[in-house]
Amino acid sequence: MDVEKALEQLNQFRKSTLMETLGIEYTEIGGDYLVATMPVNSTVHQPIGILHGGATVALAESVGSAASFLFIDTEKFTVKGIEISANHLKSKKDGIVTAKASLVHKGRTTHLWQIAVTDEDGALISMCKITNIIISK
């Protein structure tokens, strides 16, 4: 896999989507992981001025779903998220959060990803999990 080309394609897919609205950017691909970042500012805050859990889950789903696309034949199959969960462990007011989706299970019809959302210092903000179904087009 040409990593630079894959990152460029993933970032092109963000155009005119929630990922672009939230400022999510794919930054790193490994053999069994994908990394994305999201700025934390008033556009992703809840009313008390901290990162909204829904924005965090949107980041986690964006990186976990995109990661599955890296492991399938996109000519024949597509990916849909069927379950996501999140444990929010620490609040964040500003800066950048980074989500790393790590592959837990790669089956023929399902993929399971664990997504660690961390701050600039590596502190864990949220731990998420997504299950994706792989279906024929």
Side-chain angles (χ1 to χ4, degrees):
M1 169 191 328
D2 181 339
V3 172
E4 289 302 316
K5 184 177 178 181
L7 280 172
E8 185 179 319
Q9 285 181 318
L10 287 175
N11 282 310
Q12 284 297 316
F13 290 147
R14 300 174 323 118
K15 302 292 184 197
S16 301
T17 68
L18 179 65
M19 285 86 73
E20 184 176 51
T21 300
L22 296 178
I24 294 170
E25 182 178 348
Y26 299 101
T27 60
E28 185 180 347
I29 297 173
D32 64 350
Y33 70 89
L34 177 63
V35 177
T37 60
M38 181 177 73
V40 179
N41 53 45
S42 63
T43 63
V44 295
H45 281 171
Q46 56 172 266
I48 63 171
I50 60 172
L51 177 60
H52 193 291
T56 306
V57 172
L59 170 63
E61 183 157 1
S62 297
V63 72
S65 292
S68 280
F69 273 99
L70 298 173
F71 289 95
I72 64 168
D73 179 348
T74 56
E75 296 293 318
K76 296 179 183 177
F77 300 97
T78 192
V79 173
K80 293 189 178 179
I82 57 174
E83 190 271 339
I84 190 162
S85 64
N87 293 96
H88 304 301
L89 306 169
K90 184 178 176 185
S91 61
K92 178 116 177 103
K93 291 184 179 192
D94 55 27
I96 300 284
V97 287
T98 299
K100 181 177 183 179
S102 300
L103 187 60
V104 175
H105 170 76
K106 180 186 177 245
R108 198 169 32 87
T109 57
T110 60
H111 293 174
L112 176 62
W113 295 89
Q114 177 175 285
I115 302 105
V117 179
T118 58
D119 67 11
E120 299 90 340
D121 298 323
L124 190 60
I125 302 297
S126 296
M127 182 59 73
C128 306
K129 177 185 72 168
I130 187 170
T131 305
N132 296 322
I133 189 166
I134 313 306
I135 55 177
S136 295
K137 285 188 170 180

